[in-house]
Structures are given as C-alpha cells and as structure tokens.
Amino acid sequence: MKYTKEYFLRFMEIFAKHLAENKDYLTQLDAAIGDGDHGINMDRGAKTALQRLSDTNPSTPSAVLRTIGMALLSSVGGAAGPLYGTAFMKMSIALGNKEEIDDKELVKALEQALLGIKGLGKAQVGEKTMVDVWEPVVTFLKEEIINGNKELKDVCNELVLLAEERMKATIPMQARKGRASYLGERSIGHQDPGATSSYLFFKSLCEALGGN
Amino acid sequence: MLSILILSHSPDVAKGVKDICLQMAPENVIIEAIGGTKEGRLGIDAERVVLTLKELIKKSDGVIILGDIGSTILAAKNAIQMCDNPKKVRLVDSPLVEGSVVAAVEAYLGSSLEEVAKKAEEVKFASKL
C-alpha cells in the first residue's frame, strides 16, 4: 500500500478522537501514579495539532508529521510533549520529501521514532513507560513487514492485540522513570498512562487504513 | 558572554530562580527562564524551549541549561537535538536553584562554558548542613 499525506491526516484525526474519548480515563490513570494531566495534555496537544494542520495545509507526509510534532511540543506541557514530539519529528525526518511512502518505509520511520523516544527518556522495556508498548510493536512490525514482506493491513489485528497486551502488562510493573518512579513499589498495580496512549497511537495507525 | 537557561515545571519557580540569579549576577550574563505551559499551568512549553535555545546560541558564546523535574529535562534534551550548534550547549545535572545561582555567578565572573558547567554540577555534592 502507498501512504500519502491524506493517510497521515486521517491518522491524526482518529488519534485525536481516541484521545478525546479517553481523556478522563488517561487522566485517572495518571492521577494514580503521576501528576494527573496526561489525558488533558494529550487531548489539548492533539487538538492543537489538528488546528495547525488545518491552518498550514502541509504538502507531504513528512511535513504533516513535522507539524504534528511541533504542535505537541508546544502544547502538551508534560513529559509526553517532548517524547511524542520527538517521535513525530524523527518519523518526519525518516520520510524525507516523498509524497508516497511504502509499508517498509513506514516501519523504518516508526523504528526511528522508537529510537528517538528511547534516546530522550533512556527507558528500557519493563520500566512502566510508553517504551513497553512501542518496542515490542516495532519489533513485531520489523519482523512481519521488513523481513516477512507483509503489509500493515495484513497484520493489524495481531498488532492491536499485541499493543493492548503490552499495555496491560505495565500494570504489575514498578515505575523506574518519570514522576511515577517517586512512588516506588506503590506504582505497582496501575496501568501506565503513556503505554495506554501509545496503544491508542498504534490502534489509530491501523484504523486510518480503513478510509479510501 | 554566556547564557543561563532555567527550566521549571512551574512558572513561579522559573521566575523566582531567575530573580535570585539576577540579584547575584546582574550583568555580563544572559539569564532566561521558562516555566509552565502557554496557559500558565504546571508543565513546560517545549517548543518555546527550542526557540529560546536557538536564540541564545546566536547571541551568546555558550548556553548552560538547568531543569527541575522530568519534563523539563526531556524538553532540554529535545531542544539540544533540534538546535544547530549543540557544542555550545551544556545541560547540567544539578539541583535547579543552587545550580542556577552558581552557574550565574561563574558566568558573571567570566568563566568559560566548561568551567561554569563543572562548578554548577559540583553543587549536587555540596552539603548544606
């Protein structure tokens, strides 16, 4: 499949819809182990991104992703701003000036996003962060799409199930990064908000395939 | 001349730390502070951190950045990645208030970027009692 700027615009609309619908849920998760603003922050960030996309009408997939990244940096406020901001900026750089992206290029861009997130936050798998969803999902996509020559649409069911499973796997973990780490063992038993918004990110990537 | 960039999760903390620094280092150093979101709530405007850092790199010989909790450090690292000349920037691992004051005084006295960063980092081992 070819991914055009319309695909990435559709993705952002769907991601924003999920973030709006889950705003209170994400905030509750964050109130349990953080500062209780993840839902509000991500919802505001997504709305700012949609507004800037509509104002500037970027012409390539890379430009769409850069616009989203800068909007999140400016408006999310919490740690998720730089982390998601970097993820979108790294994807934007990886895609260059192409008007159409293929499945392998999309996965390589997601891999760069993961490297950007890890480089910034220094989190590893098992530390109760968004990396707990991103890393296994990117590994799965590399195996299926880059090595296995499949397309995203062929693996979406498995992908969403994997992301959900890894999100839920953060519940028994003890937080080692960010504000939740100040709680020590008391962070155990709560699902990580960043892993949850990351699940919504990957779900949105798949749902954006549906249109057109 | 060097710049000090103070980052806090709180607009009040950012302003307060800048005020303390200016009292001890009133000239010969540029001191900027960013705290809170665009709307003045707790958090950080990471885009403003990028733009301010780029500006400080242009108008000074080097920039020392200090932050308090989580998101400020991530915003600083992100800004360093996005600026043109990261060699002119030092992100210092130090308590925000004490580190900023030491950095401001050292810069005011004319120390080099390296010296200022080193002195500001040594603060984390200093005992107050």
Side-chain angles (χ1 to χ4, degrees):
Chain A
M1 162 160 173
K2 293 291 179 192
Y3 301 86
T4 59
K5 73 162 190 171
E6 282 74 22
Y7 168 79
F8 293 98
L9 290 170
R10 203 157 58 230
F11 156 79
M12 192 60 227
E13 278 173 23
I14 294 169
F15 189 33
K17 181 173 71 76
H18 282 307
L19 290 169
E21 285 169 4
N22 289 283
K23 180 175 153 184
D24 293 340
Y25 174 55
L26 289 170
T27 292
Q28 277 166 24
L29 292 175
D30 196 28
I33 57 170
D35 49 4
D37 60 7
H38 191 57
I40 298 162
N41 285 346
M42 289 301 290
D43 179 51
R44 188 180 49 247
K47 287 192 164 80
T48 305
L50 289 180
Q51 185 62 48
R52 285 202 193 174
L53 288 171
S54 143
D55 291 346
T56 60
N57 192 22
S59 59
T60 60
S62 173
V64 169
L65 294 166
R66 187 171 60 244
T67 305
I68 297 170
M70 288 309 288
L72 297 179
L73 279 179
S74 81
S75 61
V76 170
L83 291 167
Y84 276 103
T86 292
F88 281 98
M89 298 303 285
K90 295 283 180 189
M91 286 182 75
S92 166
I93 294 166
L95 296 183
N97 283 326
K98 291 181 178 164
E99 303 219 336
E100 287 186 340
I101 309 300
D102 67 24
D103 284 273
K104 288 187 179 168
E105 288 165 332
L106 177 66
V107 174
K108 283 178 188 163
L110 288 166
E111 187 181 14
Q112 289 305 310
L114 168 64
L115 291 174
I117 291 168
K118 290 180 77 175
L120 207 57
K122 302 272 182 272
Q124 301 295 324
V125 166
E127 296 188 316
K128 204 179 187 90
T129 70
M130 57 197 293
V131 171
D132 286 310
V133 168
W134 273 81
E135 180 142 330
V137 165
V138 168
T139 303
F140 168 79
L141 287 173
K142 278 167 67 183
E143 183 56 36
E144 297 292 324
I145 293 174
I146 295 181
N147 300 337
N149 293 316
K150 289 184 188 163
E151 294 191 358
L152 180 60
K153 65 175 169 53
D154 305 324
V155 298
C156 263
N157 288 342
E158 278 175 273
L159 171 70
V160 174
L161 284 174
L162 174 65
E164 189 179 0
E165 179 196 306
R166 302 313 300 174
M167 166 186 84
K168 289 182 177 160
T170 63
I171 296 173
M173 291 176 186
Q174 179 173 338
R176 304 281 176 194
K177 289 281 179 284
R179 207 84 64 85
S181 65
Y182 299 167
L183 291 173
E185 287 181 359
R186 284 163 293 173
S187 64
I188 294 172
H190 301 279
Q191 185 169 299
D192 181 62
T196 310
S197 56
S198 298
Y199 157 73
L200 296 173
F201 174 97
F202 286 106
K203 193 175 168 183
S204 305
L205 272 186
C206 281
E207 288 175 358
L209 296 169
N212 302 342
Chain B
M1 197 191 310
L2 297 177
S3 301
I4 314 287
L5 179 54
I6 296 159
L7 306 178
S8 174
H9 206 61
S10 151
D12 294 335
V13 171
K15 184 185 176 302
V17 176
K18 181 178 172 178
D19 289 343
I20 299 173
C21 291
L22 282 173
Q23 195 180 35
M24 298 193 63
E27 57 190 22
N28 200 32
V29 52
I30 301 168
I31 301 173
E32 288 282 349
I34 302 174
T37 65
K38 272 193 176 58
E39 300 84 9
R41 288 173 302 99
L42 297 177
I44 190 91
D45 178 347
E47 187 183 37
R48 195 174 149 213
V49 177
V50 175
L51 300 175
T52 305
L53 178 62
K54 286 184 175 175
E55 199 184 303
L56 291 176
I57 288 173
K58 263 188 220 156
K59 66 182 187 192
S60 63
D61 300 319
V63 186
I64 304 283
I65 311 181
L66 299 102
D68 51 13
I69 52 179
S71 58
T72 61
I73 301 299
L74 294 179
K77 286 188 188 171
N78 175 69
I80 293 169
Q81 279 181 9
M82 288 175 70
C83 74
D84 302 324
N85 199 346
K87 285 186 182 155
K88 282 177 73 178
V89 186
R90 296 288 180 281
L91 175 58
V92 166
D93 184 2
S94 161
L96 181 68
V97 181
E98 291 87 341
S100 298
V101 172
V102 167
V105 171
E106 281 296 322
Y108 165 67
L109 295 173
S111 301
S112 69
L113 182 67
E114 282 312 322
E115 285 167 339
V116 175
K118 187 167 166 282
K119 292 278 186 195
E121 288 221 334
E122 282 170 6
V123 167
K124 69 180 167 186
F125 303 112
S127 169
K128 279 192 252 190
L129 299 176

